[in-house]
Amino acid sequence: MTEVKNCDNCIYQSGRPEFDLKKCKRCSRTEKALFEPIPTAAYLMESFMMKGTYPTLKLYEKHLKQVKDTMKSKLLSSEERRHEFKEVNLVAKFVPKKISDIDYVGLNTYLDDLGLLARILEIDHKRVKKEPMILKQLKAYQLEPTQYVKPSFNKLGKSLNQVPELRNEGWSVEELAFTCSTIDAKYSSYKKQYETLKEEMIKCEKLKADKKLVNKYGSVSLINNAPLYDIASIYNDMGSDLLIEYGKPNHEQLQYFMTRGMLTKNDIEQFKTVKDIALEFVVMDLDSERRTIETFQRRQMQAAQNRMRA
């Protein structure tokens, strides 16, 4: 039997629950443990700032917007609405976008007549929270809240996040397209790092308990998203009137039932009144544009096939 060595002075004996358990490498008493602290959300954000990752993300974000704004101003007078830059795999285009008033009560009533209301609708919480009696009535139907992490910055943090202007007014459209492509790739990389960081921060037990943690550069807060509701239970218990009055169709669910052939674009458009048509400036890589067009065409074909089978 192996002799167990004593390690009375072992410093790795903390039993605090917020620490990860590891084997003690200093002594042979395997029931002892080496504990390493799990970084809090505040520490993670502070480290992200200290390394310059978040300030660099904000720099690329602002410069990308500036380049796109300059491209838009230079291309706005062109008769062409679509401009390809094949050498950098980029397309810049003006896309007409209808600005409409939507008769939600009429649309919701139509969906109810089709038997789709409870499967498509979401409660418009912005409206509901202005109606205390309705909000109280729906309180029991709120689903488990979802949350997100929001950083705030003090004077030191704001100074680190300051971004210099990108002077690009004299650049050619080709130079702007090249710069846009270059910056976008870097911005996407830093944005992924930030998304990963937020996923780690939201796991922090201390943040869940305290809701706000302070660090050297400001603070990190845990914020509740707008509540979601159990629509099926509301419909079963209370009928459709309240849903018709305070609901909005979920866009993805509308697209799903349109693809299934149970709704058409005209079914939805009849409840819209066009107020204006704006030209939205879009910059994207050519591969993404191709995939978007292919997805749209595939959905159109699938919807037509499903309508024929109905």
Side-chain angles (χ1 to χ4, degrees):
M1 184 174 180
T2 305
E3 180 184 356
V4 177
K5 296 179 182 179
N6 190 16
C7 191
D8 293 332
N9 295 322
C10 181
I11 62 172
Y12 308 118
Q13 298 185 46
S14 172
R16 293 169 61 185
E18 66 268 25
F19 281 60
D20 274 335
L21 186 66
K22 293 186 179 180
K23 297 292 184 184
C24 177
K25 298 177 181 177
R26 181 175 175 180
C27 65
S28 59
R29 297 174 65 181
T30 56
E31 72 273 15
K32 293 295 183 182
L34 180 149
F35 293 86
E36 293 182 351
I38 298 175
T40 65
Y43 175 84
L44 290 171
M45 190 66 211
E46 183 176 295
S47 178
F48 207 65
M49 287 287 293
M50 194 176 297
K51 292 175 183 176
T53 314
Y54 187 83
T56 304
L57 169 69
K58 303 312 290 183
L59 181 142
Y60 286 138
E61 182 179 72
K62 182 173 181 178
H63 284 184
L64 186 61
K65 183 181 184 305
Q66 287 182 314
V67 170
K68 287 181 179 180
D69 286 347
T70 305
M71 282 184 74
K72 179 181 178 180
S73 65
K74 285 181 176 291
L75 295 173
L76 194 58
S77 59
S78 171
E79 293 182 1
E80 301 293 328
R81 284 291 173 252
R82 185 178 180 280
H83 304 266
E84 277 192 18
F85 304 92
K86 291 183 178 179
E87 63 278 5
V88 290
N89 192 38
L90 205 70
V91 59
K93 56 186 179 180
F94 292 91
V95 181
K97 184 178 180 180
K98 294 179 182 178
I99 301 172
S100 305
D101 284 331
I102 302 175
D103 175 12
Y104 284 112
V105 172
L107 176 55
N108 293 342
T109 302
Y110 180 76
L111 294 173
D112 192 28
D113 291 340
L114 293 177
L116 298 175
L117 185 69
R119 301 170 68 181
I120 290 180
L121 208 70
E122 291 178 341
I123 292 292
D124 183 358
H125 186 70
K126 286 184 179 179
R127 284 194 61 205
V128 167
K129 69 181 182 181
K130 297 176 183 177
E131 304 282 351
M133 294 299 294
I134 301 297
L135 185 61
K136 183 178 179 181
Q137 200 174 0
L138 293 176
K139 188 75 174 177
Y141 297 95
Q142 284 188 10
L143 299 174
E144 189 71 24
T146 59
Q147 299 167 316
Y148 66 95
V149 177
K150 180 183 178 182
S152 298
F153 300 99
N154 56 23
K155 188 174 181 180
L156 177 59
K158 289 176 180 177
S159 68
L160 282 179
N161 290 331
Q162 282 185 346
V163 177
E165 293 290 324
L166 182 65
R167 303 296 181 184
N168 57 23
E169 294 83 1
W171 296 6
S172 69
V173 175
E174 289 74 20
E175 288 174 323
L176 290 167
F178 175 80
T179 305
C180 184
S181 177
T182 304
I183 294 178
D184 187 56
K186 294 177 180 179
Y187 173 65
S188 296
S189 174
Y190 277 82
K191 191 175 181 181
K192 285 179 182 177
Q193 293 181 55
Y194 185 46
E195 293 303 318
T196 301
L197 176 75
K198 288 191 288 185
E199 289 174 4
E200 290 301 312
M201 289 195 293
I202 206 166
K203 297 175 186 176
C204 175
E205 295 298 330
K206 188 167 178 58
L207 181 61
K208 291 177 184 178
D210 296 353
K211 304 303 180 187
K212 181 178 180 179
L213 300 177
V214 176
N215 63 35
K216 180 179 178 181
Y217 302 102
S219 62
V220 176
S221 301
L222 193 62
I223 311 294
N224 284 346
N225 286 306
L228 299 175
Y229 296 84
D230 185 346
I231 302 299
S233 294
I234 295 173
Y235 189 86
N236 291 334
D237 295 348
M238 303 168 60
S240 62
D241 288 351
L242 187 144
L243 294 175
I244 288 172
E245 180 66 27
Y246 292 97
K248 282 186 177 181
N250 177 279
H251 178 72
E252 286 73 21
Q253 286 298 99
L254 279 176
Q255 288 294 326
Y256 171 76
F257 284 105
M258 288 170 69
T259 303
R260 291 285 302 275
M262 300 171 70
L263 284 171
T264 67
K265 185 178 180 181
N266 288 336
D267 291 336
I268 311 303
E269 293 295 322
Q270 65 179 314
F271 297 100
K272 295 182 179 180
T273 303
V274 178
K275 298 190 301 181
D276 195 8
I277 298 179
L279 282 178
E280 183 178 9
F281 186 64
V282 177
V283 181
M284 62 197 309
D285 63 74
L286 287 166
D287 296 332
S288 295
E289 182 190 45
R290 175 182 51 79
R291 287 192 295 269
T292 300
I293 293 172
E294 288 175 352
T295 299
F296 175 76
Q297 290 174 340
R298 187 167 56 251
R299 284 178 177 173
Q300 292 288 90
M301 188 179 300
Q302 190 175 350
Q305 291 172 347
N306 286 330
R307 283 196 297 271
M308 289 176 64
R309 295 192 192 105

